[in-house]
Amino acid sequence: MIEVYIDGASAGNPGPSGAGIFIKANGEVHTYSIPLGVMSNHEAEYYAFIKALEICLELQFKTVSFRTDSELVNRAVEKEFVRNQTYKPLLERALTLSSKFDLFFMKWIPSSMNKMADELARKAIRKNPPEGGKA
């Protein structure tokens, strides 16, 4: 089972944002710190999820267990529904990607258990170009 820890962060809301992805796979560790441009914290959480799904598919993982400290994203994935229309295309993209795995799980964890992904997301914020933009 591949364990994937994800986090999105923003310096401001909206502000420069980043995605942090920490993957434990068959004794190996993969880390990603991806600048996302200017967006809200919730958008950054969704983009971190989508980027992690894309990475796992590229690495040809078949069974993945995602962990997030974002209750918003976790609840949306569980219910396959989001009330805020801003996030609807992001959720739809994530659900399409997650359906490509043989087995996909997502679990909410407290922030204290997601420190590596959080650190990677904060590092990504600092990598954003000065002019901003969106992922």
Side-chain angles (χ1 to χ4, degrees):
M1 174 78 66
I2 309 300
E3 292 181 21
V4 184
Y5 295 80
I6 58 170
D7 200 16
S10 294
N13 203 17
S17 301
I21 303 162
F22 179 81
I23 302 172
K24 291 197 282 190
N26 309 317
E28 293 181 14
V29 170
H30 304 264
T31 61
Y32 301 86
S33 189
I34 304 166
L36 298 173
V38 174
M39 62 181 63
S40 73
N41 187 62
H42 290 317
E43 286 174 298
E45 296 279 8
Y46 275 103
Y47 276 103
F49 180 33
I50 290 166
K51 300 271 188 198
L53 288 165
E54 291 170 346
I55 289 165
C56 288
L57 288 167
E58 285 172 23
L59 295 172
Q60 299 182 345
F61 296 146
K62 301 290 183 209
T63 303
V64 293
S65 179
F66 275 62
R67 274 100 161 133
T68 180
D69 59 14
S70 170
E71 291 183 46
L72 179 86
V73 171
N74 186 63
R75 198 173 12 226
V77 171
E78 277 180 6
K79 295 181 178 184
E80 297 185 5
F81 174 79
V82 64
R83 194 169 293 167
N84 186 326
Q85 293 305 299
T86 302
Y87 310 132
K88 188 174 183 183
L90 299 173
L91 176 62
E92 287 173 357
R93 173 84 176 127
L95 292 174
T96 298
L97 291 169
S98 67
S99 71
K100 295 182 180 188
F101 294 96
D102 292 345
L103 281 172
F104 169 84
F105 301 98
M106 180 172 257
K107 178 182 177 182
W108 177 85
I109 58 172
S111 298
S112 61
M113 294 176 67
N114 205 27
K115 289 185 192 276
M116 282 302 300
D118 177 68
E119 191 177 301
L120 292 164
R122 293 183 187 287
K123 182 178 169 186
I125 290 172
R126 296 188 294 276
K127 292 182 183 178
N128 276 291
E131 67 277 358
K134 209 171 207 176

